[in-house]
Amino acid sequence: EVFATYTERNSPIYHEDSDFEVFVDPASSCHHYKELEMNAINTVWNLMLDKPYMDGGQEFSGRIANPGDDHYYEVDSQKTMVRVLEGTLNNNNVDEKKNTKEYMG
């Protein structure tokens, strides 16, 4: 089953939705890494963490801050697309063995 309920950009989609996450950490340090999350209806959340949450990390994103604020982070002119190849979106009544999501960024 594939679920997607969040529609507003920079919502914490991992809380409830089926999502796809990409972590970018060129230094392999788990500090100041960037994250792209998207759900099955193409709602996107971009964020940067100064360190992991479990180590007291702070989020930098458009969810918690406005442009010009110290904790603001956003990726402008980003293009994403989602297509559910198999499975039924937001349908609890379907018995599905697998689902496949295709994401393009």
Side-chain angles (χ1 to χ4, degrees), residues 42-68:
N42 204 29
T43 303
V44 172
W45 181 19
N46 289 296
L47 66 146
M48 182 175 65
L49 291 174
D50 60 351
K51 56 186 169 183
Y53 286 127
M54 65 184 198
D55 293 336
Q58 294 184 12
E59 174 185 334
F60 293 74
S61 77
R63 182 177 78 88
I64 61 147
N66 295 312

Side-chain angles (χ1 to χ4, degrees), residues 18-100:
S18 305
D19 72 335
F20 177 77
E21 302 181 18
V22 176
F23 299 86
V24 180
D25 183 9
S28 297
S29 67
C30 294
H31 289 77
H32 302 286
Y33 65 90
K34 296 173 176 71
E35 205 174 311
L36 162 68
E37 298 186 22
M38 53 197 301
N39 67 11
I41 55 175
N42 204 29
T43 303
V44 172
W45 181 19
N46 289 296
L47 66 146
M48 182 175 65
L49 291 174
D50 60 351
K51 56 186 169 183
Y53 286 127
M54 65 184 198
D55 293 336
Q58 294 184 12
E59 174 185 334
F60 293 74
S61 77
R63 182 177 78 88
I64 61 147
N66 295 312
D69 293 342
D70 288 343
H71 282 84
Y72 181 76
Y73 172 77
E74 181 59 277
V75 177
D76 294 321
S77 69
Q78 180 181 49
K79 294 180 183 181
T80 60
M81 180 181 76
V82 174
R83 181 174 63 174
V84 178
L85 298 176
E86 291 182 28
T88 306
L89 185 61
N90 296 332
N91 186 349
N92 284 327
N93 299 320
V94 177
D95 181 25
E96 297 175 345
K97 304 261 188 241
K98 65 178 180 176
N99 63 66
T100 306

